[in-house]
Amino acid sequence: MAPGAARRARRRPRSMPPARSAEDWWWERLAPSGSEFHLQQSDSMLLVLSGPGPARAHAQRRAARRAQRQPLPGPRAAAAEARPRPEPQPGPDPGWGDRLPLEILVQIFGLLVAAEGPMPFLGRAARVCRRWHEAAAQPALWHTVTLSPPLVGRPTKGESKGEKKLLASLEWLIPNRFSQLQRLTLLHWKCQVHPVLKLASESCRQLTFLKLSDCHGLTPDTLVMLAKACPQLHSLDLQHSMVESTAVVSFLEEAGCRMRRLWLTYSSQMTAILGALLGSCCPQLQVLEVSTGISRNTIPLQLPVEALQKGCPQLQPGPHPQVLRLLNLMWLPKPLGRGVAPGPGFPVLEELCLASSTCNFVSNEVLGRLLHSSPRLRLLDLRGCARITPAGLHHLPCQELEHLYLGLYDTSDRLSLAKEGSPLLTQKWYCTLRELDLSGQGFSEKDLEQALAAFLGVPRGSQPALCSLNLRGTRVMASTVSSVISSCPGLVYLNLESCRCLPRGLKRAYRGPEEVQWCLEQLLASLPSPS
């Protein structure tokens, strides 16, 4: 053997460095020595906590071995034993996640679900640990769900792919989580509405509310299947969805006896649905809303008022307000024939909305036919109804009206507007009015001054309930506005845009009590001082 080879053979092999454990590797990465952090390991997670923490496992073992060694006899050893040793500081409980009661965790999740909805929060929480997964799986948390496929706004092929991907997840999610589902909303579904509603009909027996917005492909069989499978379903919202009238009529024939709320979008097929309603198909109906949505419909709706009152008498007392909304519709009340007695009216109606931005044929006579027996009315929305006068409103039977909206936002013929009569409104409801909208009305300065002065006549010991006042585009004067602000301390919204009689710089909307009080100070400063 060569001398070099012999020397290499006689060399002692270098000692390999000891292998580091996974714990040491994570420790040096997340909490290196000298930092102000330490690691704490629990049953299902690794926490990075601030402050110096307890010694690591290998350090504890090394300390235990050193403690087993017998110290050499001598004065130093005796003095070391005599010194008091500091007690170890207790660290965080490594099992806090498992020690938290499941009921408390479910209540915490319930608060988050009420604020943000169950998705995607519960799906993410279920991946934290076993206890969180068990809490997130409670069906009671999945009572309200909104489902919208991804890739909304993409081409049709991309929408179909996104809906199929979400449907694959729902095939497991609905049977395992939605057993106590009560409110279901589907948004922007174009192709897979039927499979989703079929899954819901098989697993969601407690469903009470269904909303379909911007959905296509809904067939009569789908709605009838849902009506038969969900005996508690009493609310249906089909606004802005393409649904055939035959599908709606079939659904109402199956579930109309228990329907309480119905939202529809007006179209040329509305006649068949309206015929079902007038035929007493939904005797328990409490909320009916028909709107045109974004696009205007030039086909007028001829509505027989008296027939609707007989077909929907409950619009019956119940725990919820009785509401009738005909929004942005061009509708023509069917004339009442000679010698025909007025209909039964709506005795328990609390909200009537006839707001429209199109040509409106609502007059005092039509309003009287609708409300001649509605003493419980609390909200009356007549925005855009330029033919309504204060005299017609003064004869209504309701004595405790709280919200009155008479704004005119798109009126071309302003010469035909009433110049006087606004005091008739405030003198009748000054004690109960909370919101008043007179924007765009043509009342004179003196007439508005007399009308708003009614809020000064509140009995002693009480104050007006008025909290919102819209005077946009009116001829109200600075002295009148300052008086109403002073007499209504609860006023939090005041709109003075385009008021030609007010000083410059003050013609804007004021929101909040601070801004309203600032407006009062500026108005008082602008008024001429008494001579």
Side-chain angles (χ1 to χ4, degrees), residues 6-20:
R7 286 194 301 268
R8 285 194 298 270
R10 289 194 300 268
R11 288 178 182 173
R12 299 181 59 184
R14 296 181 180 179
S15 59
M16 299 296 294
R20 293 187 301 172

Side-chain angles (χ1 to χ4, degrees), residues 65-206:
R65 289 194 298 269
R66 290 180 179 176
Q68 292 177 359
R69 298 175 183 173
Q70 295 294 334
L72 297 175
R76 292 184 178 180
E81 291 181 0
R83 293 192 195 119
R85 296 183 179 180
E87 297 181 359
Q89 296 293 333
D93 185 3
W96 67 271
D98 293 334
R99 296 180 187 275
L100 192 64
L102 182 63
E103 296 78 7
I104 301 300
L105 194 59
V106 171
Q107 291 185 13
I108 296 174
F109 284 5
L111 296 176
L112 294 172
V113 168
E116 302 180 2
M119 299 176 68
F121 166 72
L122 291 180
R124 295 171 179 173
R127 301 168 65 181
V128 174
C129 62
R130 294 181 179 177
R131 177 56 60 91
W132 283 40
H133 182 276
E134 183 180 1
Q138 299 297 316
L141 296 175
W142 300 82
H143 55 79
T144 302
V145 173
T146 299
L147 300 175
S148 177
L151 305 177
V152 173
R154 300 286 183 88
T156 306
K157 185 176 180 180
E159 291 179 353
S160 177
K161 185 177 180 180
E163 291 184 14
K164 291 181 179 179
K165 184 177 180 180
L166 182 55
L167 180 62
S169 302
L170 293 177
E171 290 176 353
W172 179 90
L173 189 65
I174 291 179
N176 291 277
R177 294 291 185 269
F178 289 6
S179 61
Q180 298 185 23
L181 184 67
Q182 299 178 9
R183 299 174 64 89
L184 175 61
T185 300
L186 301 182
L187 303 176
H188 314 298
W189 287 77
K190 308 298 183 183
C191 309
Q192 304 296 329
V193 177
H194 179 78
V196 174
L197 293 182
K198 183 178 179 181
L199 290 172
S201 64
E202 295 173 353
S203 303
C204 307
R205 303 294 181 177
Q206 301 183 21

Side-chain angles (χ1 to χ4, degrees), residues 39-56:
L39 296 183
Q40 179 67 45
Q41 184 177 4
S42 64
D43 295 342
S44 56
M45 63 185 70
L46 192 64
L47 305 176
V48 180
L49 305 177
S50 61
R56 288 174 288 175

